Amino acid sequence: MIAVGRRGRRLIRSEAAKATEDLIAWGAPAEAIAKARADEAHADLQDGFLVHADNETAVRLFLAVQTQWRVASLSTMARAQLVNTGLDYVAVERTAVLEGLELKLPDDFRRLRIMEAEALSAWSERRAMQK
């Protein structure tokens, strides 16, 4: 199954699929099930991105900890800048608990670290282009 992640309060496709499954399991009226299937099929992808279901928990966690970066201050006589050096793993663990995310360790943590490394790499490339 593919999930759709997005920022804000918009529906995530995997949640829409789960809602449809729940309606069926609880014997909801056919009209309600049909509406849920239509909503699921027409989930707005404009501001979203596709996420494989195996990565959904790690992506949710990565988005939830987007302000939990360790930062170093680098300066020379000509320039000063703040550089993200990595996620604060203590905050990551606590955020997972507060968000109600059930991590499959070590898989979800490895996936999170891959996203962390890619974000750090992208920021590094952007800094290099700005010089």
Short mmCIF file of all heavy atoms in Angstrom, two decimals, residues 12-83:
data_model
loop_
_atom_site.label_atom_id
_atom_site.label_comp_id
_atom_site.label_asym_id
_atom_site.label_seq_id
_atom_site.Cartn_x
_atom_site.Cartn_y
_atom_site.Cartn_z
N ILE A 12 -4.22 11.99 5.16
CA ILE A 12 -3.17 11.12 4.63
C ILE A 12 -3.86 9.90 4.06
O ILE A 12 -4.73 9.31 4.69
CB ILE A 12 -2.17 10.73 5.74
CG1 ILE A 12 -1.43 11.99 6.17
CG2 ILE A 12 -1.22 9.65 5.27
CD1 ILE A 12 -0.48 11.77 7.32
N ARG A 13 -3.50 9.52 2.84
CA ARG A 13 -4.24 8.48 2.13
C ARG A 13 -4.32 7.19 2.93
O ARG A 13 -5.35 6.53 2.94
CB ARG A 13 -3.63 8.22 0.77
CG ARG A 13 -4.45 7.16 0.03
CD ARG A 13 -4.20 7.14 -1.41
NE ARG A 13 -4.57 8.41 -1.98
CZ ARG A 13 -4.68 8.62 -3.27
NH1 ARG A 13 -4.44 7.67 -4.11
NH2 ARG A 13 -5.01 9.79 -3.73
N SER A 14 -3.28 6.79 3.62
CA SER A 14 -3.36 5.54 4.38
C SER A 14 -4.41 5.65 5.49
O SER A 14 -5.05 4.67 5.84
CB SER A 14 -2.01 5.18 4.99
OG SER A 14 -1.61 6.15 5.91
N GLU A 15 -4.60 6.87 6.03
CA GLU A 15 -5.65 7.07 7.04
C GLU A 15 -7.02 6.96 6.38
O GLU A 15 -7.95 6.42 6.98
CB GLU A 15 -5.47 8.42 7.71
CG GLU A 15 -4.26 8.47 8.61
CD GLU A 15 -4.00 9.85 9.18
OE1 GLU A 15 -4.68 10.82 8.78
OE2 GLU A 15 -3.11 9.97 10.03
N ALA A 16 -7.15 7.45 5.16
CA ALA A 16 -8.42 7.35 4.45
C ALA A 16 -8.74 5.88 4.18
O ALA A 16 -9.88 5.45 4.34
CB ALA A 16 -8.36 8.14 3.15
N ALA A 17 -7.73 5.11 3.79
CA ALA A 17 -7.95 3.68 3.54
C ALA A 17 -8.36 2.97 4.82
O ALA A 17 -9.27 2.13 4.82
CB ALA A 17 -6.68 3.06 2.95
N LYS A 18 -7.72 3.31 5.93
CA LYS A 18 -8.05 2.70 7.22
C LYS A 18 -9.48 3.07 7.62
O LYS A 18 -10.23 2.23 8.12
CB LYS A 18 -7.05 3.16 8.28
CG LYS A 18 -7.34 2.62 9.66
CD LYS A 18 -7.02 1.14 9.78
CE LYS A 18 -7.13 0.67 11.20
NZ LYS A 18 -8.27 -0.17 11.45
N ALA A 19 -9.86 4.32 7.38
CA ALA A 19 -11.22 4.75 7.71
C ALA A 19 -12.25 3.96 6.91
O ALA A 19 -13.28 3.53 7.45
CB ALA A 19 -11.38 6.25 7.46
N THR A 20 -11.96 3.73 5.63
CA THR A 20 -12.87 2.95 4.79
C THR A 20 -12.97 1.52 5.32
O THR A 20 -14.07 0.97 5.43
CB THR A 20 -12.38 2.95 3.33
OG1 THR A 20 -12.29 4.29 2.87
CG2 THR A 20 -13.35 2.18 2.44
N GLU A 21 -11.82 0.93 5.66
CA GLU A 21 -11.82 -0.43 6.21
C GLU A 21 -12.63 -0.49 7.51
O GLU A 21 -13.38 -1.44 7.73
CB GLU A 21 -10.39 -0.88 6.49
CG GLU A 21 -9.56 -1.13 5.25
CD GLU A 21 -8.09 -1.37 5.57
OE1 GLU A 21 -7.76 -1.58 6.76
OE2 GLU A 21 -7.28 -1.34 4.64
N ASP A 22 -12.50 0.53 8.35
CA ASP A 22 -13.24 0.56 9.61
C ASP A 22 -14.74 0.65 9.36
O ASP A 22 -15.53 -0.01 10.04
CB ASP A 22 -12.78 1.73 10.48
CG ASP A 22 -11.39 1.52 11.07
OD1 ASP A 22 -10.89 0.37 11.01
OD2 ASP A 22 -10.81 2.50 11.57
N LEU A 23 -15.14 1.48 8.41
CA LEU A 23 -16.56 1.61 8.09
C LEU A 23 -17.14 0.26 7.65
O LEU A 23 -18.24 -0.12 8.06
CB LEU A 23 -16.78 2.66 6.99
CG LEU A 23 -16.59 4.11 7.41
CD1 LEU A 23 -16.63 5.02 6.19
CD2 LEU A 23 -17.67 4.53 8.41
N ILE A 24 -16.39 -0.44 6.82
CA ILE A 24 -16.84 -1.76 6.35
C ILE A 24 -16.94 -2.73 7.52
O ILE A 24 -17.95 -3.42 7.68
CB ILE A 24 -15.89 -2.29 5.25
CG1 ILE A 24 -15.99 -1.42 4.00
CG2 ILE A 24 -16.19 -3.75 4.94
CD1 ILE A 24 -14.90 -1.67 2.98
N ALA A 25 -15.89 -2.75 8.36
CA ALA A 25 -15.87 -3.68 9.49
C ALA A 25 -17.02 -3.44 10.46
O ALA A 25 -17.54 -4.38 11.06
CB ALA A 25 -14.53 -3.57 10.23
N TRP A 26 -17.41 -2.18 10.63
CA TRP A 26 -18.47 -1.85 11.58
C TRP A 26 -19.86 -1.85 10.94
O TRP A 26 -20.84 -1.48 11.58
CB TRP A 26 -18.19 -0.51 12.24
CG TRP A 26 -17.05 -0.61 13.21
CD1 TRP A 26 -15.74 -0.32 12.98
CD2 TRP A 26 -17.12 -1.07 14.55
NE1 TRP A 26 -14.98 -0.58 14.09
CE2 TRP A 26 -15.81 -1.04 15.08
CE3 TRP A 26 -18.16 -1.52 15.37
CZ2 TRP A 26 -15.51 -1.44 16.37
CZ3 TRP A 26 -17.85 -1.92 16.66
CH2 TRP A 26 -16.54 -1.87 17.14
N GLY A 27 -19.93 -2.25 9.68
CA GLY A 27 -21.23 -2.38 9.03
C GLY A 27 -21.90 -1.05 8.72
O GLY A 27 -23.13 -0.92 8.82
N ALA A 28 -21.13 -0.07 8.33
CA ALA A 28 -21.68 1.25 7.99
C ALA A 28 -22.57 1.14 6.76
O ALA A 28 -22.43 0.20 5.96
CB ALA A 28 -20.54 2.24 7.73
N PRO A 29 -23.48 2.09 6.60
CA PRO A 29 -24.34 2.07 5.42
C PRO A 29 -23.52 2.15 4.12
O PRO A 29 -22.44 2.74 4.09
CB PRO A 29 -25.21 3.33 5.57
CG PRO A 29 -25.10 3.71 7.01
CD PRO A 29 -23.78 3.20 7.49
N ALA A 30 -24.04 1.57 3.06
CA ALA A 30 -23.34 1.53 1.77
C ALA A 30 -22.98 2.92 1.27
O ALA A 30 -21.92 3.13 0.68
CB ALA A 30 -24.19 0.79 0.74
N GLU A 31 -23.87 3.90 1.53
CA GLU A 31 -23.61 5.28 1.07
C GLU A 31 -22.37 5.85 1.76
O GLU A 31 -21.56 6.54 1.14
CB GLU A 31 -24.80 6.21 1.36
CG GLU A 31 -26.13 5.75 0.82
CD GLU A 31 -26.82 4.74 1.74
OE1 GLU A 31 -26.84 4.91 2.98
OE2 GLU A 31 -27.32 3.76 1.18
N ALA A 32 -22.21 5.58 3.06
CA ALA A 32 -21.07 6.08 3.81
C ALA A 32 -19.78 5.43 3.31
O ALA A 32 -18.74 6.10 3.17
CB ALA A 32 -21.24 5.82 5.30
N ILE A 33 -19.85 4.15 3.01
CA ILE A 33 -18.67 3.44 2.49
C ILE A 33 -18.31 3.97 1.11
O ILE A 33 -17.13 4.22 0.82
CB ILE A 33 -18.92 1.92 2.46
CG1 ILE A 33 -19.07 1.39 3.90
CG2 ILE A 33 -17.79 1.19 1.73
CD1 ILE A 33 -19.56 -0.03 3.99
N ALA A 34 -19.31 4.19 0.27
CA ALA A 34 -19.05 4.72 -1.07
C ALA A 34 -18.43 6.11 -1.00
O ALA A 34 -17.50 6.43 -1.74
CB ALA A 34 -20.36 4.77 -1.87
N LYS A 35 -18.92 6.94 -0.07
CA LYS A 35 -18.35 8.29 0.08
C LYS A 35 -16.91 8.21 0.57
O LYS A 35 -16.04 8.92 0.08
CB LYS A 35 -19.18 9.13 1.05
CG LYS A 35 -18.62 10.54 1.19
CD LYS A 35 -19.42 11.38 2.14
CE LYS A 35 -18.89 12.79 2.28
NZ LYS A 35 -17.47 13.01 2.13
N ALA A 36 -16.64 7.32 1.50
CA ALA A 36 -15.28 7.16 2.02
C ALA A 36 -14.33 6.69 0.90
O ALA A 36 -13.21 7.17 0.79
CB ALA A 36 -15.26 6.17 3.19
N ARG A 37 -14.80 5.77 0.07
CA ARG A 37 -13.97 5.30 -1.05
C ARG A 37 -13.71 6.43 -2.04
O ARG A 37 -12.61 6.56 -2.57
CB ARG A 37 -14.63 4.12 -1.74
CG ARG A 37 -14.49 2.84 -0.97
CD ARG A 37 -14.94 1.64 -1.77
NE ARG A 37 -14.64 0.42 -1.04
CZ ARG A 37 -15.48 -0.59 -0.91
NH1 ARG A 37 -16.66 -0.56 -1.47
NH2 ARG A 37 -15.11 -1.65 -0.23
N ALA A 38 -14.73 7.24 -2.29
CA ALA A 38 -14.55 8.38 -3.20
C ALA A 38 -13.56 9.39 -2.63
O ALA A 38 -12.70 9.91 -3.34
CB ALA A 38 -15.90 9.05 -3.47
N ASP A 39 -13.68 9.67 -1.32
CA ASP A 39 -12.74 10.59 -0.67
C ASP A 39 -11.32 10.06 -0.75
O ASP A 39 -10.38 10.80 -1.00
CB ASP A 39 -13.12 10.82 0.80
CG ASP A 39 -14.39 11.63 0.96
OD1 ASP A 39 -14.85 12.24 -0.03
OD2 ASP A 39 -14.93 11.63 2.08
N GLU A 40 -11.18 8.75 -0.54
CA GLU A 40 -9.86 8.12 -0.59
C GLU A 40 -9.28 8.22 -2.00
O GLU A 40 -8.11 8.54 -2.17
CB GLU A 40 -10.00 6.66 -0.18
CG GLU A 40 -8.72 5.88 -0.19
CD GLU A 40 -8.94 4.41 0.16
OE1 GLU A 40 -10.00 4.05 0.69
OE2 GLU A 40 -8.02 3.63 -0.12
N ALA A 41 -10.10 7.98 -3.00
CA ALA A 41 -9.64 8.01 -4.39
C ALA A 41 -9.26 9.41 -4.85
O ALA A 41 -8.43 9.58 -5.73
CB ALA A 41 -10.70 7.42 -5.31
N HIS A 42 -9.88 10.42 -4.23
CA HIS A 42 -9.64 11.80 -4.66
C HIS A 42 -8.83 12.61 -3.67
O HIS A 42 -8.91 13.82 -3.64
CB HIS A 42 -10.98 12.49 -4.94
CG HIS A 42 -11.72 11.89 -6.08
ND1 HIS A 42 -12.72 10.96 -5.89
CD2 HIS A 42 -11.57 12.03 -7.41
CE1 HIS A 42 -13.18 10.58 -7.07
NE2 HIS A 42 -12.50 11.20 -8.00
N ALA A 43 -8.05 11.92 -2.86
CA ALA A 43 -7.20 12.65 -1.91
C ALA A 43 -6.33 13.61 -2.71
O ALA A 43 -5.68 13.24 -3.67
CB ALA A 43 -6.34 11.69 -1.11
N ASP A 44 -6.36 14.86 -2.34
CA ASP A 44 -5.63 15.92 -3.05
C ASP A 44 -4.13 15.71 -2.90
O ASP A 44 -3.61 15.73 -1.79
CB ASP A 44 -6.05 17.27 -2.48
CG ASP A 44 -5.32 18.42 -3.13
OD1 ASP A 44 -4.70 18.24 -4.19
OD2 ASP A 44 -5.38 19.52 -2.58
N LEU A 45 -3.44 15.51 -4.01
CA LEU A 45 -2.00 15.25 -3.98
C LEU A 45 -1.17 16.49 -4.27
O LEU A 45 0.05 16.42 -4.30
CB LEU A 45 -1.64 14.18 -5.00
CG LEU A 45 -2.25 12.80 -4.78
CD1 LEU A 45 -1.86 11.87 -5.91
CD2 LEU A 45 -1.80 12.23 -3.46
N GLN A 46 -1.78 17.65 -4.49
CA GLN A 46 -1.03 18.83 -4.89
C GLN A 46 0.11 19.16 -3.94
O GLN A 46 1.21 19.45 -4.39
CB GLN A 46 -1.95 20.04 -5.00
CG GLN A 46 -2.82 19.99 -6.24
CD GLN A 46 -3.71 21.20 -6.32
OE1 GLN A 46 -4.11 21.75 -5.30
NE2 GLN A 46 -4.01 21.62 -7.53
N ASP A 47 -0.14 19.15 -2.66
CA ASP A 47 0.88 19.52 -1.69
C ASP A 47 1.47 18.31 -0.99
O ASP A 47 2.20 18.45 -0.03
CB ASP A 47 0.30 20.47 -0.62
CG ASP A 47 -0.18 21.77 -1.23
OD1 ASP A 47 0.46 22.22 -2.20
OD2 ASP A 47 -1.18 22.31 -0.75
N GLY A 48 1.16 17.14 -1.48
CA GLY A 48 1.59 15.93 -0.81
C GLY A 48 2.77 15.28 -1.50
O GLY A 48 3.35 15.81 -2.43
N PHE A 49 3.12 14.11 -1.02
CA PHE A 49 4.19 13.33 -1.61
C PHE A 49 3.89 11.87 -1.30
O PHE A 49 3.27 11.55 -0.30
CB PHE A 49 5.56 13.75 -1.05
CG PHE A 49 5.61 13.80 0.45
CD1 PHE A 49 6.02 12.70 1.18
CD2 PHE A 49 5.25 14.95 1.12
CE1 PHE A 49 6.06 12.74 2.56
CE2 PHE A 49 5.28 15.01 2.51
CZ PHE A 49 5.69 13.90 3.22
N LEU A 50 4.32 11.00 -2.19
CA LEU A 50 4.05 9.58 -2.01
C LEU A 50 5.06 8.97 -1.05
O LEU A 50 6.25 9.27 -1.11
CB LEU A 50 4.11 8.86 -3.35
CG LEU A 50 3.03 9.26 -4.35
CD1 LEU A 50 3.25 8.53 -5.67
CD2 LEU A 50 1.65 8.97 -3.81
N VAL A 51 4.56 8.13 -0.18
CA VAL A 51 5.39 7.46 0.81
C VAL A 51 4.99 5.99 0.83
O VAL A 51 3.81 5.67 0.98
CB VAL A 51 5.17 8.06 2.22
CG1 VAL A 51 5.97 7.30 3.27
CG2 VAL A 51 5.51 9.53 2.23
N HIS A 52 5.96 5.11 0.68
CA HIS A 52 5.67 3.69 0.77
C HIS A 52 5.22 3.38 2.20
O HIS A 52 5.73 3.96 3.16
CB HIS A 52 6.91 2.87 0.42
CG HIS A 52 6.63 1.42 0.27
ND1 HIS A 52 6.56 0.58 1.34
CD2 HIS A 52 6.37 0.67 -0.82
CE1 HIS A 52 6.29 -0.64 0.93
NE2 HIS A 52 6.16 -0.61 -0.38
N ALA A 53 4.28 2.49 2.33
CA ALA A 53 3.72 2.17 3.65
C ALA A 53 4.78 1.74 4.66
O ALA A 53 4.66 2.05 5.85
CB ALA A 53 2.65 1.09 3.52
N ASP A 54 5.83 1.07 4.21
CA ASP A 54 6.90 0.65 5.13
C ASP A 54 7.62 1.84 5.75
O ASP A 54 8.23 1.72 6.80
CB ASP A 54 7.94 -0.22 4.41
CG ASP A 54 7.40 -1.59 4.03
OD1 ASP A 54 6.31 -1.96 4.53
OD2 ASP A 54 8.06 -2.27 3.24
N ASN A 55 7.57 2.98 5.06
CA ASN A 55 8.28 4.18 5.53
C ASN A 55 7.38 5.18 6.25
O ASN A 55 7.86 6.20 6.72
CB ASN A 55 8.96 4.87 4.35
CG ASN A 55 9.97 4.00 3.68
OD1 ASN A 55 10.68 3.25 4.33
ND2 ASN A 55 10.05 4.07 2.37
N GLU A 56 6.10 4.89 6.32
CA GLU A 56 5.15 5.87 6.84
C GLU A 56 5.47 6.34 8.25
O GLU A 56 5.48 7.55 8.53
CB GLU A 56 3.72 5.31 6.79
CG GLU A 56 2.70 6.33 7.24
CD GLU A 56 1.29 5.82 7.14
OE1 GLU A 56 1.06 4.73 6.61
OE2 GLU A 56 0.40 6.53 7.63
N THR A 57 5.76 5.44 9.16
CA THR A 57 6.04 5.84 10.54
C THR A 57 7.27 6.72 10.62
O THR A 57 7.28 7.75 11.29
CB THR A 57 6.20 4.61 11.44
OG1 THR A 57 4.99 3.85 11.41
CG2 THR A 57 6.50 5.01 12.88
N ALA A 58 8.32 6.34 9.90
CA ALA A 58 9.56 7.13 9.91
C ALA A 58 9.33 8.52 9.32
O ALA A 58 9.86 9.52 9.83
CB ALA A 58 10.66 6.40 9.16
N VAL A 59 8.54 8.61 8.26
CA VAL A 59 8.26 9.92 7.65
C VAL A 59 7.43 10.77 8.60
O VAL A 59 7.71 11.96 8.78
CB VAL A 59 7.55 9.75 6.29
CG1 VAL A 59 7.03 11.09 5.77
CG2 VAL A 59 8.50 9.12 5.28
N ARG A 60 6.43 10.18 9.23
CA ARG A 60 5.63 10.93 10.20
C ARG A 60 6.53 11.46 11.33
O ARG A 60 6.40 12.60 11.74
CB ARG A 60 4.53 10.05 10.81
CG ARG A 60 3.38 9.79 9.90
CD ARG A 60 2.40 8.84 10.61
NE ARG A 60 1.27 8.56 9.80
CZ ARG A 60 0.15 9.28 9.79
NH1 ARG A 60 0.04 10.33 10.57
NH2 ARG A 60 -0.85 8.95 9.02
N LEU A 61 7.44 10.62 11.80
CA LEU A 61 8.33 11.04 12.86
C LEU A 61 9.28 12.14 12.37
O LEU A 61 9.50 13.13 13.07
CB LEU A 61 9.14 9.84 13.38
CG LEU A 61 10.09 10.12 14.53
CD1 LEU A 61 9.35 10.76 15.71
CD2 LEU A 61 10.78 8.84 14.95
N PHE A 62 9.82 11.99 11.17
CA PHE A 62 10.73 13.00 10.62
C PHE A 62 10.02 14.36 10.53
O PHE A 62 10.58 15.39 10.89
CB PHE A 62 11.24 12.57 9.25
CG PHE A 62 12.28 13.48 8.69
CD1 PHE A 62 13.58 13.43 9.15
CD2 PHE A 62 11.97 14.39 7.70
CE1 PHE A 62 14.56 14.27 8.63
CE2 PHE A 62 12.93 15.24 7.17
CZ PHE A 62 14.23 15.18 7.64
N LEU A 63 8.79 14.36 10.07
CA LEU A 63 8.03 15.62 9.98
C LEU A 63 7.73 16.18 11.37
O LEU A 63 7.73 17.40 11.58
CB LEU A 63 6.74 15.42 9.19
CG LEU A 63 6.93 15.11 7.70
CD1 LEU A 63 5.58 14.78 7.06
CD2 LEU A 63 7.61 16.26 6.98
N ALA A 64 7.49 15.30 12.33
CA ALA A 64 7.18 15.76 13.69
C ALA A 64 8.38 16.36 14.39
O ALA A 64 8.23 17.22 15.26
CB ALA A 64 6.62 14.59 14.52
N VAL A 65 9.59 15.94 14.04
CA VAL A 65 10.79 16.44 14.72
C VAL A 65 11.52 17.49 13.90
O VAL A 65 12.69 17.79 14.15
CB VAL A 65 11.77 15.30 15.10
CG1 VAL A 65 11.14 14.33 16.07
CG2 VAL A 65 12.31 14.60 13.86
N GLN A 66 10.83 18.11 12.97
CA GLN A 66 11.51 19.03 12.06
C GLN A 66 12.14 20.24 12.75
O GLN A 66 12.98 20.92 12.16
CB GLN A 66 10.56 19.48 10.95
CG GLN A 66 9.34 20.22 11.42
CD GLN A 66 8.39 20.48 10.28
OE1 GLN A 66 8.81 20.67 9.16
NE2 GLN A 66 7.10 20.47 10.56
N THR A 67 11.81 20.50 13.99
CA THR A 67 12.45 21.61 14.72
C THR A 67 13.45 21.12 15.76
O THR A 67 13.95 21.91 16.55
CB THR A 67 11.39 22.48 15.44
OG1 THR A 67 10.69 21.65 16.38
CG2 THR A 67 10.41 23.09 14.46
N GLN A 68 13.74 19.83 15.77
CA GLN A 68 14.59 19.25 16.81
C GLN A 68 16.00 18.95 16.31
O GLN A 68 16.54 17.87 16.53
CB GLN A 68 13.93 17.98 17.36
CG GLN A 68 12.56 18.21 17.94
CD GLN A 68 12.57 19.24 19.05
OE1 GLN A 68 13.43 19.22 19.91
NE2 GLN A 68 11.63 20.15 19.01
N TRP A 69 16.62 19.91 15.65
CA TRP A 69 17.96 19.73 15.12
C TRP A 69 18.99 20.31 16.07
O TRP A 69 18.79 21.37 16.66
CB TRP A 69 18.09 20.43 13.76
CG TRP A 69 17.31 19.74 12.69
CD1 TRP A 69 16.01 19.97 12.35
CD2 TRP A 69 17.77 18.68 11.86
NE1 TRP A 69 15.63 19.13 11.35
CE2 TRP A 69 16.69 18.32 11.02
CE3 TRP A 69 18.97 18.00 11.74
CZ2 TRP A 69 16.80 17.31 10.07
CZ3 TRP A 69 19.07 17.00 10.79
CH2 TRP A 69 17.99 16.66 9.97
N ARG A 70 20.11 19.63 16.21
CA ARG A 70 21.26 20.18 16.91
C ARG A 70 21.94 21.14 15.94
O ARG A 70 22.07 20.84 14.76
CB ARG A 70 22.21 19.09 17.37
CG ARG A 70 21.57 18.21 18.43
CD ARG A 70 22.62 17.39 19.14
NE ARG A 70 22.01 16.56 20.15
CZ ARG A 70 21.93 16.88 21.43
NH1 ARG A 70 22.44 18.01 21.85
NH2 ARG A 70 21.36 16.06 22.29
N VAL A 71 22.37 22.28 16.47
CA VAL A 71 22.91 23.33 15.61
C VAL A 71 24.28 23.75 16.12
O VAL A 71 24.49 23.88 17.33
CB VAL A 71 21.96 24.56 15.60
CG1 VAL A 71 22.51 25.68 14.75
CG2 VAL A 71 20.58 24.14 15.10
N ALA A 72 25.20 23.96 15.17
CA ALA A 72 26.53 24.47 15.51
C ALA A 72 26.67 25.87 14.89
O ALA A 72 26.15 26.14 13.81
CB ALA A 72 27.61 23.56 14.96
N SER A 73 27.36 26.72 15.58
CA SER A 73 27.63 28.06 15.09
C SER A 73 29.05 28.08 14.52
O SER A 73 30.01 27.78 15.22
CB SER A 73 27.50 29.08 16.23
OG SER A 73 27.88 30.35 15.78
N LEU A 74 29.15 28.39 13.23
CA LEU A 74 30.45 28.47 12.57
C LEU A 74 30.69 29.91 12.17
O LEU A 74 29.80 30.56 11.60
CB LEU A 74 30.47 27.58 11.33
CG LEU A 74 30.11 26.11 11.54
CD1 LEU A 74 30.09 25.38 10.20
CD2 LEU A 74 31.08 25.45 12.49
N SER A 75 31.88 30.42 12.47
CA SER A 75 32.13 31.82 12.11
C SER A 75 33.59 32.03 11.75
O SER A 75 34.49 31.35 12.24
CB SER A 75 31.71 32.74 13.25
OG SER A 75 32.45 32.49 14.40
N THR A 76 33.76 32.98 10.88
CA THR A 76 35.08 33.48 10.51
C THR A 76 35.01 34.99 10.65
O THR A 76 33.98 35.55 11.03
CB THR A 76 35.43 33.10 9.06
OG1 THR A 76 34.51 33.76 8.18
CG2 THR A 76 35.37 31.60 8.83
N MET A 77 36.08 35.67 10.32
CA MET A 77 36.08 37.14 10.38
C MET A 77 35.07 37.72 9.39
O MET A 77 34.51 38.77 9.62
CB MET A 77 37.47 37.69 10.09
CG MET A 77 38.49 37.32 11.15
SD MET A 77 38.10 38.03 12.76
CE MET A 77 38.56 39.71 12.50
N ALA A 78 34.83 37.00 8.30
CA ALA A 78 33.96 37.53 7.25
C ALA A 78 32.52 37.05 7.34
O ALA A 78 31.63 37.70 6.80
CB ALA A 78 34.53 37.14 5.88
N ARG A 79 32.29 35.95 8.02
CA ARG A 79 30.96 35.35 7.93
C ARG A 79 30.66 34.49 9.15
O ARG A 79 31.54 33.84 9.69
CB ARG A 79 30.93 34.51 6.66
CG ARG A 79 29.63 33.90 6.35
CD ARG A 79 29.72 33.24 4.99
NE ARG A 79 28.44 32.66 4.70
CZ ARG A 79 28.24 31.72 3.83
NH1 ARG A 79 29.23 31.27 3.12
NH2 ARG A 79 27.04 31.24 3.63
N ALA A 80 29.40 34.45 9.51
CA ALA A 80 28.92 33.57 10.58
C ALA A 80 27.69 32.84 10.07
O ALA A 80 26.89 33.39 9.31
CB ALA A 80 28.59 34.36 11.83
N GLN A 81 27.55 31.60 10.48
CA GLN A 81 26.36 30.85 10.07
C GLN A 81 26.05 29.76 11.09
O GLN A 81 26.93 29.30 11.81
CB GLN A 81 26.54 30.24 8.69
CG GLN A 81 27.61 29.19 8.59
CD GLN A 81 27.75 28.65 7.17
OE1 GLN A 81 27.01 29.02 6.28
NE2 GLN A 81 28.70 27.78 6.96
N LEU A 82 24.78 29.38 11.12
CA LEU A 82 24.33 28.25 11.94
C LEU A 82 24.19 27.05 11.02
O LEU A 82 23.64 27.17 9.92
CB LEU A 82 23.00 28.57 12.61
CG LEU A 82 23.01 29.73 13.60
CD1 LEU A 82 21.61 29.99 14.12
CD2 LEU A 82 23.96 29.44 14.75
N VAL A 83 24.68 25.91 11.48
CA VAL A 83 24.65 24.70 10.66
C VAL A 83 24.00 23.58 11.46
O VAL A 83 24.42 23.30 12.58
CB VAL A 83 26.09 24.30 10.24
CG1 VAL A 83 26.07 23.00 9.46
CG2 VAL A 83 26.75 25.40 9.45
#
